[in-house]
Amino acid sequence: MEPGGLQWVLGPGRQLAAWGAAGAMVFGGVVPYIPQYRHIRRTQNAEGFSTYVCLVLLVANILRILFWFGRRFESPLLWQSIIMIITMLLMLKLCTEVRVSNELNVKRRSFAAADSKDEEIKAPPKRSYLDFDLNYFWHWSKFTDYVQCVLTFTGVTGYITYLWLDSSLFVETLGFLAVFTEAMLGVPQLYRNYQNRSTEGMSIKMVLMWSSGDTFKTVYFILNQAPFQFSICGLLQVFVDIAILLQVYLYSHYPQKPVSHTAHPASTKAL
């Protein structure tokens, strides 16, 4: 085949491969949460999933979008952040509805000032602008409270970014914080496993999906010459996933001191 004909065949193939990689980059990150969403909806039990994963991913992806305004990167990475934010909000909505419907405690917690007209609250609520009690932060009773918190964080960080957008140091730091926050997603699970000397209650299939997804994402960063923060923190995220898988092997082949589990372990990743 002549060089021109070969190029005619390989050209569309390469384009299709590029489109496929971009599509996988945009939607691949949300795939592990689809079975988790379906499981919660089917069982009406959200105990096996920590909503702090939503908090971490919302913060990370909001910061990544703000970083895009200071330093334009690949469009699929921007769309990935948008899709992930929508996915995490949907997860929060479902988890909040399921948790509240199963709670016996009638006391309601909110991000904004409590509404004294709420018929579900038997006693007059304590008046406060924001409920920053660490015991109840990100454990509110209405989905709208999470939306208010996310909008507040976006507004504040967006305004700060607007003021400092001309500072290259600020922009690069913003990008590092975005990917570093996401990279640290598995550390609490790693620490919890170490504390319990066990990986009981943790879905190994989910960790494998995270590992494969993080590996693909890191390779994509490197091949597409994404900002160096993305590649470094992508590698860090892969190392954390590998460490969790090593814990699975270690604790299954060399059982440690038994630990009683009274409830599903909550982690910053979906269980």
Side-chain angles (χ1 to χ4, degrees), residues 218-235:
T218 303
V219 172
Y220 183 91
F221 290 158
I222 296 174
L223 294 180
N224 287 273
Q225 298 181 339
F228 78 97
Q229 299 100 321
F230 286 49
S231 301
I232 295 299
C233 291
L235 289 171

Side-chain angles (χ1 to χ4, degrees), residues 153-208:
F153 175 79
T154 304
V156 172
T157 53
Y159 181 68
I160 295 175
T161 301
Y162 173 76
L163 295 177
W164 291 87
L165 197 58
D166 294 332
S167 171
S168 59
L169 177 61
F170 174 83
V171 171
E172 295 299 328
T173 302
L174 185 65
F176 175 78
L177 289 176
V179 290
F180 182 75
T181 301
E182 186 175 356
M184 291 294 98
L185 195 61
V187 172
Q189 179 67 62
L190 185 72
Y191 182 67
R192 180 177 292 274
N193 293 342
Y194 172 76
Q195 280 186 315
N196 295 337
R197 300 296 193 275
S198 171
T199 57
E200 181 183 351
M202 185 188 69
S203 173
I204 300 177
K205 292 181 179 179
M206 291 293 292
V207 178
L208 290 172

Side-chain angles (χ1 to χ4, degrees), residues 100-149:
V100 172
S101 65
N102 292 336
E103 278 183 347
L104 297 178
N105 187 3
V106 296
K107 186 175 181 61
R108 294 291 183 259
R109 295 284 175 172
S110 62
F111 172 73
D115 185 0
S116 60
K117 296 181 181 180
D118 191 344
E119 296 179 356
E120 294 179 320
I121 300 179
K122 306 303 181 181
K126 180 180 179 180
R127 305 301 297 179
S128 62
Y129 178 66
L130 296 177
D131 186 356
F132 280 125
D133 186 344
L134 291 180
N135 294 324
Y136 295 98
F137 178 79
W138 207 251
H139 194 73
W140 301 308
S141 304
K142 293 181 180 179
F143 173 66
T144 53
D145 291 306
Y146 293 97
V147 174
Q148 291 174 16
C149 182

Side-chain angles (χ1 to χ4, degrees), residues 1 4 38 69 84 90 95 104 106 109 121 128 152 171 179 184 198-199 212-213 229 238 241 249 253 255:
M1 182 178 292
R38 296 179 62 185
F69 287 99
M84 182 62 75
L90 290 175
C95 291
L104 297 178
V106 296
R109 295 284 175 172
I121 300 179
S128 62
T152 300
V171 171
V179 290
M184 291 294 98
S198 171
T199 57
S212 59
Q229 299 100 321
V238 171
D241 294 336
Y249 173 82
H253 288 77

